[in-house]
Amino acid sequence: MRLLLVEDDAMIGEAIRAGLRRDGFTVDWVHDGETAEQVLETESFDLLLLDLGLPRKAGLEVLSGLRTRGNGMPVIILTARDAVCDRVQGLDAGADDYLVKPFDLDELAARIRALLRRKSGHSAPAIEHLGVTLNPATHTVRRGVEEIALSPKEFALLHLLMERPGTIHSRARIEERLYGWGEEIDSNAVEVHVHGLRRKLGSDFILTVRGVGYRVRPA
Ligand code: CA
């Protein structure tokens, strides 16, 4: 899952990005509201982490703009202010959740997972498909009772494919979801990850749709 972090405090931003990357998220980070707005208009993310007090454009303005343009992506507000009215304004402007700084990174990751679950229509923490169970919270994948060890990118790819089993994902979309800015991508990276998953989960769990992309085998 790919997140956009908007945070002007270098130390806080660094800590959040490092913590969420450890948790398997792809995280891109911008430091002001105007850049956030530009990036949001041209690229797509699964979720937005938005500080309110930002240079060049306030977080609330970025949020209102996003909703005005009809973008319904999940948004969590991160704010140092503990004034109730800021949080109320944020929620009323279209945020889905908020955290008051300083917060625990594990709690942030859990709230992100909860929002992503809700967005994709899963209420249970784990996703199950054809005997394969993927748990985003524990980073585990099982086939039956057997635990399957995956690399972080294999896990991210499997999560993307299993989240909506009916959907075919193009290679470009997969690359966009798995790799943040500045991360090197080999030209055959997606094929390599698919190959790895097939080796571990069976050759027919992930199907190639020629000329279009990849999907998991329908139930
Ligand atoms: Ca700030």
Side-chain angles (χ1 to χ4, degrees):
M1 297 291 129
R2 185 177 179 210
L3 319 178
L4 181 67
L5 168 65
V6 191
E7 169 62 68
D8 61 318
D9 184 299
M11 257 170 61
I12 296 174
E14 196 55 66
I16 294 174
R17 181 170 65 174
L20 291 178
R21 279 184 173 171
R22 266 196 305 277
D23 256 313
F25 294 104
T26 300
V27 184
D28 289 321
W29 175 20
V30 296
H31 305 249
D32 69 84
E34 220 167 88
T35 309
E37 198 144 75
Q38 286 162 10
V39 166
L40 285 165
E41 279 182 32
T42 52
E43 299 190 42
S44 84
F45 299 86
D46 296 295
L47 186 141
L48 174 65
L49 297 171
L50 183 64
D51 181 28
L52 287 188
L54 288 169
R56 295 174 72 194
K57 186 165 245 179
L60 273 180
E61 270 183 80
V62 174
L63 178 58
S64 311
L66 190 73
R67 296 309 190 218
T68 303
R69 292 193 301 276
N71 188 325
M73 74 190 293
V75 177
I76 299 178
I77 284 175
L78 310 174
T79 176
R81 307 173 203 180
D82 49 11
V84 174
C85 73
D86 283 338
R87 305 203 291 267
V88 171
Q89 275 185 346
L91 292 168
D92 279 343
D96 300 280
D97 200 357
Y98 67 83
L99 276 172
V100 177
K101 297 175 198 167
F103 49 78
D104 184 271
L105 280 174
D106 288 339
E107 182 180 359
L108 175 62
R111 285 182 189 236
I112 291 170
R113 284 192 292 270
L115 269 180
L116 292 174
R117 254 198 330 262
R118 217 180 299 158
K119 180 189 159 208
S120 62
H122 298 286
S123 49
I127 307 170
E128 198 276 332
H129 185 70
L130 298 175
V132 175
T133 308
L134 178 143
N135 190 323
T138 57
H139 277 264
T140 49
V141 172
R142 288 176 195 282
R143 191 179 47 190
V145 291
E146 180 197 5
E147 187 162 338
I148 314 270
L150 300 182
S151 74
K153 292 294 188 209
E154 285 171 352
F155 185 92
L157 172 57
L158 186 64
H159 188 185
L160 178 67
L161 295 176
M162 283 180 68
E163 203 183 38
R164 289 183 191 80
T167 307
I168 302 167
H169 297 270
S170 69
R171 196 173 75 168
R173 189 184 141 77
I174 293 171
E175 283 179 353
E176 185 192 83
R177 279 296 181 277
L178 263 53
Y179 292 89
W181 304 328
E183 273 189 89
E184 240 176 83
I185 318 178
D186 290 334
S187 60
N188 64 342
V190 172
E191 284 85 348
V192 170
H193 299 319
V194 168
H195 179 78
L197 286 173
R198 282 178 175 154
R199 198 162 43 79
K200 295 171 184 178
L201 295 170
S203 57
D204 61 347
F205 189 72
I206 295 170
L207 306 179
T208 302
V209 184
R210 207 162 287 281
V212 187
Y214 300 96
R215 63 180 296 187
V216 292
R217 183 158 56 88

